[in-house]
Each structure stands twice: as structure tokens, then as C-alpha cells.
């Protein structure tokens, strides 16, 4: 018997803007929040998917750096398959879907398949990156037209689709997308076809993003200048007299961490808050998650026997509620106990589940939590935590005569990093460590990459003769326990947070950057 037919879902071809998440349109945000399936590209704002439904299917269909991309036919087949299954599909692309976004091809495929679609324009990089660099692409008296051009093609190819003579003669601004790898050839082709070599030109890298950089030169010298500054994709190139306005109209205020790279080593699932705050201050964040949290299986939990429950991390909170939920329990089952949290992040995770912590110490370490509980009568305590953790808190409670059960809810395991991620992290201006396990696993990854086996046990300073990071990197630790893990290996800590949480790490880093203000980057 044939299956009953589901009416096809609607497909939205949505532009996500050039990178700054605040340049997502209201319509894009609304559709992201409603979608059953989101098929997205690489150059979308990092936080664009934050508002997606928890049960939505999020699928990356873009290209990783210079690596392989999902073939276009496969992407189109996916869109059609999801739509035919009745799902609401958002196809999310950087910038505008119809500007070098292959949105036209996808729209034609949908049309041919008889599936209804909607196009949501986005702010396109060629105009937005220029604007963020102070370049108006049209300007009264200077440029009355603008051409958006692909720089992807090698102009030396005989079958090039670009008419260079026509482009050189174009009476206005030229904006090249995807062209930083071909700047020499592009400039030569334009000059060879009659465009003046003395015409202003600018390249904007990571436009609208925290790491935005602009270099200005002339058409003749722009390729060399971009090379000297190590300009990389994504970048747009503007050719025309308006490019000279970049110097004059540069309006983006330099932010305290502009031009600085900061490596975040904590688990990907937890990194976003730290990364977002750092980016908000202008840092270019290098994600190098060396650990992953793995929840340990175990029997359902009955909290009834306990009069105190201590949580030492947001992960612990999540895992605790999973164990409670396994027996059909929820926050109400904690009503009979006092609940203590080691710090504000843990308290926040509890609050999200409807539990307000009774005790949160001023300093966010086991010792302080033990002290904060000094006046609290305890007969039986549960400490819910990671499998590997210090015994300061259980020891302190036992010393007071309490019965203490330590429940290992999760463990941290190594997350493999790509060679490139590790290399970028090792060269970062700042490397942040937010737990002793991030220290251990980072040094293990470095040792493995240098072919020195397990660097975690030799105690010789994190890997034989090789320094684990570049000599210019400054090392940031969240607090004394993490610092100790670095010191034990003979490694220096440059910055230790006073508050042992994400906010504290950011504050400490900002203070350090202010006192070590070296080259202020051009926004
Ligand atoms: N549909 C997109 C363009 C996709 S092609 C749009 O409308 O913006 C990818 C190219 O866009 C990159 O190679 C680069 O040239 C440009 N680009 C995308 N994001 C950029 C950014 N944040 N800064 C500078 N150029 C960017």
C-alpha cells in the first residue's frame, strides 16, 4: 500500500549576513527559531544557530577551509528530501543567498520539484565589510555604480567568464569576492586592460567580525601589501577611489582585544560563553577544545536520604538531573535537602532547572565551599561531580562527622584536535585554561603532535625539549588549582583570574591586555 502523502514543507533560502550576528535580519531569526531542519554554510555568524529549536536538525553542508565541500547536488537533494518529508527547511548561507551563494540554483531546483520556497535576503559581505571599514561603495561625485565580481576565477584561465576589458572600463567601484588568493592576477588583468595602477584599493578581512582588518594600497601594490599583512579569506577587495576613504571614515572603535588571538581550550559545549565574551571585546577566538564531557551511566538517583547536595560544575548539574529524570524525578525531589553550588556558573545551571542554590561561596574552589558550609548542620551529604576531582570537599565534610557519598556523574576525556587547531592555539596571543584537565589534555596533545608520546606523566615541563606554545603566548589560568597544574609541569602562568569563573577570566585578560598594550590593531 502506498504511504499516505505528507504535504511538502516550505523551504527558506536565508541570508545570515556577513558575520556580525547583529546583522542577521529579523526574518532570518524568526525562521531559524521555527525550522525543523537547518542546512548551513561555514560563513554564517557563530551564534546564528543559538536560537534554533533544541529538536531541530542542524546540518553543516559547507566547505571546510580548503577541504572538500558537500557537493551542490547533494545539498539540493537534501533540501528536497527534507521538504518532501513535510519539514520546514532553512537553507542558511553567509551574506545574501543570491550573491555568490548559489541560491539561484537551489531556487530553480525547488521550482522544478514544485516545492514552495521563500527567499530572505541578507546583508552581503561586499557592501557590509566595506561599510565596516569606512568605505561607501557608491559616493556622490566619486562612484555612481558598483559591480560585485567573483575573484574566484584565475584570470589567466583561457576560458575565464570575466570580461576583464569591460571590468577595467567599468565606471565605478569594483568589489571582488573570494579573490584574496588571486590578487596578483586580478590586479595585473585590470591594469593590463587599462585600469590605472594608481587607483586606490583596499582589502577587508573578516569584515564585521571581531578580527576585522583592513589594508589599503593602490591597485598596483595591493597584492603585495595584503601578502605582507598575511591577509586571508574571508576577505573582499574594493577597487576604486572610494577605497581611499577607509582611512578617513574608519569608524569602528578599536576594542580592547582587537587584533589579539585567544585560544579557548575548554570543552566545545561549554566554550561558547567565554568565546562570545572575548569576541565581544574584539578578540579573535581560536577554538581548541581539548576535552569533552562524557556522562557516566549509572542507576537512577534517589536524593531523599541526603540533607545536603553539593554541585561543583554546570556539567554536574546536568548529569544530576539526568539521573533524577531516569527515575521520573524532577527538581521537587531536592526539596528536602540544602543545595550548595561551587560558583555562579553552577548556580545558574541549577536556577535554569528551577533550583536556587542555598549556598554559593565567595571564592569558587572546594576549600571555600567547605568553609561556606561551616555553620550548616549536615548528617548525610551527596557530592555530585566528575570522576576525577580533588577530595578537599568530601574530606572537609567527613572531618565534621557527616556521612558523605561521592557520586561520579561524568568524566572528561580527550577530544582530538586537528593539527591546524592545535597549531593556531599554540601560536595564540593568549591561551586560556579553565580547569586542570584542560592543562593536562592540552599538553598531551602537544606532546603527541611533537611525537613525544604521553606528555602527561613525564612531569618535565609539558613535553621534552619543545615549548608547548610560542614564546610570545601569555598563559591565562582560571584559578589556583589550574595554575598549580601548570606550575607542576614547570610552566609559567602569566595571568590568574581573581574570580574563578568565565567573567573572571575575561576581566583578568582585559586587565593584562591593557597593561601590555603593544601594537593596537587597525579595525
Ligand atoms: N553570499 C555571500 C558571499 C559568499 S562567497 C554574501 O553575500 O556575502 C564567499 C566570499 O564572500 C568570501 O570569499 C569573501 O570574499 C566574502 N565574504 C564573506 N564573508 C566575509 C567577511 N566577513 N568579510 C569579508 N569577506 C567576506
Amino acid at each position: 500500500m502506498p504511504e499516505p502523502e505528507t504535504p511538502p514543507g516550505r523551504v527558506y533560502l536565508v541570508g545570515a549576513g556577513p558575520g556580525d550576528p547583529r546583522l542577521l535580519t529579523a526574518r532570518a531569526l524568526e525562521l531559524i527559531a521555527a525550522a525543523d531542519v537547518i542546512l548551513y554554510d561555514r560563513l554564517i555568524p557563530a551564534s546564528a544557530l543559538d536560537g534554533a529549536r533544541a529538536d531541530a536538525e542542524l546540518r553543516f553542508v559547507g566547505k571546510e577551509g580548503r577541504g572538500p565541500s558537500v557537493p551542490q547536488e547533494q545539498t539540493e537533494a537534501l533540501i528536497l528530501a527534507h521538504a518532501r518529508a513535510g519539514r520546514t527547511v532553512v537553507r542558511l548561507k553567509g551574506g545574501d543567498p543570491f550573491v555568490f551563494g548559489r541560491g539561484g540554483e537551489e531556487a530553480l531546483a525547488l521550482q522544478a520539484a514544485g516545492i514552495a520556497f521563500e527567499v530572505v535576503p541578507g546583508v552581503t559581505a561586499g557592501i557590509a565589510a566595506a561599510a565596516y571599514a569606512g568605505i561607501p561603495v557608491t559616493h556622490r561625485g566619486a562612484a555612481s555604480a558598483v559591480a560585485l565580481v567573483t575573484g574566484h576565477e584565475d584570470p589567466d584561465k583561457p576560458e575565464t567568464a570575466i570580461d576583464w576589458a569591460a571590468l577595467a572600463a567599468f565606471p565605478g567601484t569594483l568589489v571582488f569576492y573570494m579573490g584574496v588568493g588571486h590578487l596578483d592576477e586580478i590586479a595585473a588583468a585590470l591594469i593590463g586592460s587599462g585600469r590605472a595602477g594608481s587607483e586606490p584599493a583596499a582589502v577587508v578581512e573578516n569584515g564585521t567580525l571581531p578580527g576585522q582588518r583592513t589594508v589599503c594600497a593602490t591597485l598596483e601594490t595591493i597584492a603585495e601589501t595584503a601578502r605582507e599583512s598575511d591577509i586571508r579569506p574571508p576577505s573582499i577587495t574594493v577597487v576604486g577611489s572610494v577605497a581611499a576613504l577607509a582611512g578617513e571614515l574608519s569608524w569602528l572603535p578599536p576594542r580592547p582585544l582587537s587584533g589579539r588571538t585567544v585560544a579557548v581550550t575548554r570543552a566545545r559545549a561549554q566554550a561558547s560563553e567565554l568565546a562570545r565574551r572575548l569576541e565581544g571585546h574584539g578578540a579573535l577566538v581560536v577554538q581548541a577544545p581539548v576535552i569533552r564531557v562524557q556522562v557516566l551511566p549509572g542507576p537512577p538517583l534517589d536524593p531523599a536520604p541526603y540533607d545536603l547536595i553539593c554541585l561543583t560544575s554546570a556539567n554536574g548539574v546536568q548529569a544530576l538531573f539526568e539521573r533524577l529524570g531516569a527515575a521520573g524525578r524532577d527538581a521537587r525531589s531536592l526539596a528536602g535537602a540544602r543545595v550548595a553550588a561551587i560558583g555562579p556558573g553552577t548556580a545558574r545551571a541549577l536556577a535554569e532547572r528551577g533550583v536556587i542554590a542555598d549556598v554559593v561561596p565567595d571564592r569558587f574552589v572546594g576549600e571555600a565551599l567547605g568553609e561556606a558550609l561551616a555553620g550548616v548542620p549536615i548528617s548525610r551529604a551527596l557530592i555530585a561531580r566528575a570522576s576525577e576531582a580533588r577530595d578537599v570537599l568530601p574530606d572537609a565534610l567527613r572531618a565534621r562527622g557527616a556521612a558523605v557519598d561521592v557520586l561520579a556523574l561524568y568524566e572528561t576525556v580527550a577530544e582530538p584536535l586537528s593539527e591546524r587547531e592545535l597549531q593556531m592555539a599554540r601560536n595564540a596571543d593568549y591561551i586560556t585554561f579553565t580547569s586542570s584537565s584542560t592543562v593536562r589534555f592540552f599538553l598531551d596533545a602537544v606532546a603527541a603532535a611533537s611525537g613525544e608520546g604521553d606528555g602527561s606523566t613525564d612531569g618535565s615541563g609539558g613535553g621534552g625539549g619543545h615549548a608547548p606554545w610560542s614564546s610570545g603566548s601569555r598563559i591565562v589560568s582560571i584559578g589556583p588549582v589550574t595554575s598549580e597544574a601548570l606550575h607542576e609541569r614547570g610552566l609559567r602562568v602569566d595571568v590568574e583570574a581573581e574570580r574563578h569563573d568565565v567573567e573572571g577570566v575575561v576581566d583578568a585578560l582585559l586587565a593584562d591586555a591593557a597593561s601590555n598594550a603593544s601594537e593596537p590593531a587597525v579595525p
Side-chain angles (χ1 to χ4, degrees):
M1 258 205 6
E3 300 253 330
E5 283 223 354
T6 330
R10 219 176 154 75
V11 176
Y12 299 89
L13 302 174
V14 181
D20 181 339
R22 295 168 302 182
L23 297 179
L24 274 153
T25 62
R27 183 69 177 141
L29 289 172
E30 188 175 280
L31 290 168
I32 288 166
D36 296 316
V37 182
I38 302 178
L39 303 170
Y40 63 96
D41 281 346
R42 187 167 54 97
L43 287 178
I44 62 167
S47 60
L49 301 174
D50 286 2
R53 280 178 10 220
D55 62 341
E57 181 181 336
L58 309 180
R59 179 145 178 187
F60 175 70
V61 292
K63 190 170 149 80
E64 276 293 359
R66 288 173 172 268
S69 53
V70 176
Q72 181 66 17
E73 312 79 68
Q74 206 170 311
T75 302
E76 284 171 21
L78 260 177
I79 300 175
L80 295 181
H82 281 301
R84 287 191 177 120
R87 301 187 187 112
T88 300
V89 183
V90 164
R91 172 74 179 101
L92 194 61
K93 299 156 176 292
D96 182 279
F98 278 6
V99 178
F100 304 122
R102 306 193 75 164
E105 288 157 71
E106 289 165 16
L108 283 169
L110 288 161
Q111 181 90 314
I115 291 167
F117 64 90
E118 185 180 312
V119 180
V120 181
V123 176
T124 191
I127 293 173
Y132 267 50
I135 302 172
V137 290
T138 70
H139 191 56
R140 211 177 154 78
S144 45
V146 54
L148 306 183
V149 189
T150 171
H152 193 46
E153 292 190 43
D154 183 345
D156 294 338
K157 265 196 322 195
E159 71 276 25
T160 174
I162 293 177
D163 179 343
W164 289 98
L167 260 195
F170 181 77
T173 309
L174 304 176
V175 179
F176 290 91
Y177 289 65
M178 302 170 284
V180 276
H182 289 135
L183 274 184
D184 282 304
E185 295 91 337
I186 290 171
L190 287 174
I191 294 170
S193 301
R195 197 104 179 175
S198 58
E199 190 161 340
V203 180
V204 187
E205 177 193 63
N206 284 316
T208 80
L209 287 161
Q212 175 175 317
R213 290 196 297 162
T214 308
V215 295
C216 299
T218 63
L219 185 54
E220 200 152 34
T221 55
I222 190 70
E224 179 62 29
T225 311
R227 204 162 25 246
E228 277 166 7
S229 302
D230 194 27
I231 293 285
R232 288 157 188 262
S235 297
I236 53 121
T237 304
V238 183
V239 177
S241 59
V242 289
L245 289 169
E248 213 171 312
L249 292 183
S250 155
W251 54 269
L252 205 59
R255 286 177 284 178
L257 299 178
S258 288
R260 315 245 187 178
T261 51
V262 182
V264 172
T265 57
R266 71 192 331 207
R268 204 180 291 278
Q270 298 170 292
S272 66
E273 195 199 340
L274 179 56
R276 237 200 322 264
R277 283 178 191 245
L278 291 168
E279 284 173 351
H281 292 295
L284 197 62
V285 171
V286 177
Q287 295 268 11
V290 289
I291 55 171
R292 182 163 48 83
V293 172
Q294 197 157 302
V295 173
L296 295 169
L301 175 68
D302 179 5
Y306 301 104
D307 52 4
L308 172 70
I309 297 177
C310 299
L311 278 314
T312 58
S313 71
N315 291 318
V317 173
Q318 186 184 338
L320 177 78
F321 275 82
E322 279 174 28
R323 289 274 178 103
L324 291 173
R329 296 191 175 91
D330 62 18
R332 289 168 298 176
S333 64
L334 303 177
R338 279 202 169 77
V339 177
I342 199 162
T346 309
R348 209 159 31 240
L350 280 165
E352 279 165 13
R353 289 163 179 83
V355 178
I356 297 177
D358 299 297
V359 180
V360 186
D362 300 336
R363 289 181 307 121
F364 316 136
V365 289
E367 287 82 351
L369 184 52
E371 286 160 24
L373 287 165
V376 178
I378 309 162
S379 59
R380 186 153 178 208
L382 176 73
I383 300 179
R385 62 172 210 190
S387 59
E388 269 184 58
R390 299 185 317 143
D391 286 323
V392 177
L393 183 60
D395 289 351
L397 297 181
R398 284 192 184 111
R400 294 172 42 191
V404 178
D405 291 335
V406 173
L407 180 62
L409 288 171
Y410 63 94
E411 59 181 350
T412 37
V413 296
E415 170 91 321
L417 288 187
S418 73
E419 218 172 287
R420 182 159 178 272
E421 282 172 322
L422 184 64
Q423 206 44 45
M424 282 172 60
R426 293 174 74 179
N427 288 327
D429 297 320
Y430 287 94
I431 307 177
T432 61
F433 291 104
T434 47
S435 65
S436 34
S437 43
T438 56
V439 173
R440 180 153 57 90
F441 286 109
F442 190 88
L443 294 175
D444 285 354
V446 168
S450 327
E452 288 165 6
D454 181 358
S456 67
T457 48
D458 65 1
S460 69
H466 288 276
W469 34 73
S470 86
S471 57
S473 298
R474 292 180 68 74
I475 304 306
V476 185
S477 150
I478 196 169
V481 181
T482 302
S483 298
E484 185 51 33
L486 286 154
H487 292 147
E488 268 170 16
R489 288 150 199 268
L491 295 166
R492 192 189 70 229
V493 173
D494 299 296
V495 184
E496 184 182 282
E498 269 171 44
R499 261 180 76 120
H500 315 314
D501 61 2
V502 163
E503 223 175 289
V505 169
V506 174
D507 286 348
L509 211 152
L510 285 171
D512 188 75
S515 61
N516 282 289
S518 49
E519 1 110 51
V522 183

